[in-house]
Amino acid sequence: MKRMKKTFLCLIAACGMLPLSVFGQYVPSADNLEARREFEGFRFGIFLHWGIYIEFAQGEWYLNSGKLKQEEYQKVASCFYPIHFHAKEWVRAFKDSGAKYVTFTSRHHDGFSMWRTKESTYNIVDATPFRRDVLDELAKACQEEGIRFHLYYSLLDWMREDYPLGSTGHDTGRRLRPNYDSYFLFMKNQLRELLCNYQGVDGLWFDGYWDHSSDATPFDWRIKELYDYIHTLKPRCLIGNNHHIAPIEGEDFQMFERDLPGQNTSGFSPNQTVSQLPLEMCQTMNGNWGYHVADNGYKSARDLITLLVRAASKGSNLLLNIGPQPNGELPSAALERLKEMGVWMRENGESVYGTTRGEEYPWGVTTRKGQTLYLHVLEKTDAVTIPLAKKPRSASASFQYDRRNHILTIPNVEQYDIIKVELLD
Ligand code: FHN
């Protein structure tokens, strides 16, 4: 009864902004299109991988390592007590870095829910001595700070008996009683909780679809039904799915793992073409998503800024991952980088926020906002040249314009300069 009331309230909230379905095709609501536009302008978000796996400090795939069984793994829930966790401090650090949204792992492949779910006692409130709903605290802190809040949600599960076994999680010691109807209902109920019980959940980031990509008989995730369900509950909610294939109907943004859109250096997306949807690439700050005690291989702040700029030039956001520590603190190496990025963003943010796709050159990349072109010099060079149809109105550095060949040259540049060029209409 209570559940019906919540759903009803959720529907009322969405009233007047319902998604349309024309001949079975998804037509995003006006509200959703507005959320997409806003999301596209963000350019920088923070990804958080945080779950009970942090207690092992070996990354978020530890349950799949074959080193321990489900019963042993679950026991660490009773040690989860991140005494220094303060949602507001985290979110302030993200905001100061210039990030505009946060994507938090509500439930990773180990099936542990980081909120007070009624669908399973294997959750942060019922199974840990901490007993705090960290997802709720983060959602509220984000609302207070004006940061958008998205949730990662794993479609695959290494714990539940009813999840039909895919290519991972074979050695967790669970009994297998595959029943996708029951598992699908569980996911829908959980997603309804997340969308209706928590304020400001603006996006869902699915992962694990690839777990069934090498099945002999194609697996039916009933994904359209799932997406329709979500958009009916909350039309504005942006859906993305890390399936490493071309977007599926019903998705509102396209994501790329450890790669700029159109690249395939990670090997995850050999055939992933770039769509017209808003784009997002995700990358780790060090080498791992979840906290790993031995991973000190942090990328420099300069490299992270360069990645952000390159992503913006491809028309993409950068979702930069941090794996918070077992004690509830963000690693100091991550905090240092966030600070440096914040300094850069305060000074140069206009060259990435709200910009559209640019071009790539041997010396760097461009981004564009209306009639303003930003030239980001990313390599060591003496001068930059770009083809330009007309002599620009002005530029933030002295320039030469070759009218015959339509070439703009900016001499005497330095690596990491940003040159602003005002174009004629
Ligand atoms: O298996 C996950 C992994 O743990 C992590 O969450 C990343 C983030 O993009 N996605 C999966 C691998 O594709």
Side-chain angles (χ1 to χ4, degrees), residues 210-224:
W210 37 262
D211 200 36
H212 280 286
S213 56
S214 32
D215 287 11
T217 311
F219 184 76
D220 183 7
W221 286 99
R222 290 161 60 185
I223 210 74
K224 181 171 173 6

Side-chain angles (χ1 to χ4, degrees), residues 303-321:
D303 285 350
L304 294 171
I305 293 164
T306 298
L307 183 63
L308 193 153
V309 167
R310 286 196 182 278
S313 173
K314 295 272 181 197
S316 171
N317 292 354
L318 169 67
L319 183 64
L320 182 61
N321 184 75

Side-chain angles (χ1 to χ4, degrees), residues 47 49 60-61 105 108-109 152 205 207-208 210 242 244 257 268 282 289:
F47 207 176
H49 275 70
E60 77 290 356
W61 270 59
T105 44
H108 207 267
H109 310 330
Y152 171 108
W205 205 105
D207 203 355
W210 37 262
N242 187 35
H244 306 151
E257 180 167 348
F268 283 127
C282 59
W289 300 102

Side-chain angles (χ1 to χ4, degrees), residues 61-66 68-70 109-110 156-160 163-176 210-211:
W61 270 59
Y62 193 59
L63 174 58
N64 191 61
S65 66
L68 79 181
K69 298 291 178 207
Q70 181 185 49
H109 310 330
D110 67 355
L156 78 85
D157 193 300
W158 291 334
M159 281 283 185
R160 286 181 64 96
Y163 173 71
L165 192 67
S167 56
T168 62
H170 287 213
D171 206 15
T172 64
R174 70 185 140 170
R175 266 189 307 185
L176 297 176
W210 37 262
D211 200 36

Side-chain angles (χ1 to χ4, degrees), residues 349-356 367-374:
E350 68 161 86
S351 69
V352 287
Y353 294 131
T355 56
T356 50
T367 52
R368 187 169 179 161
K369 196 184 288 171
Q371 290 304 100
T372 308
L373 199 60
Y374 298 93

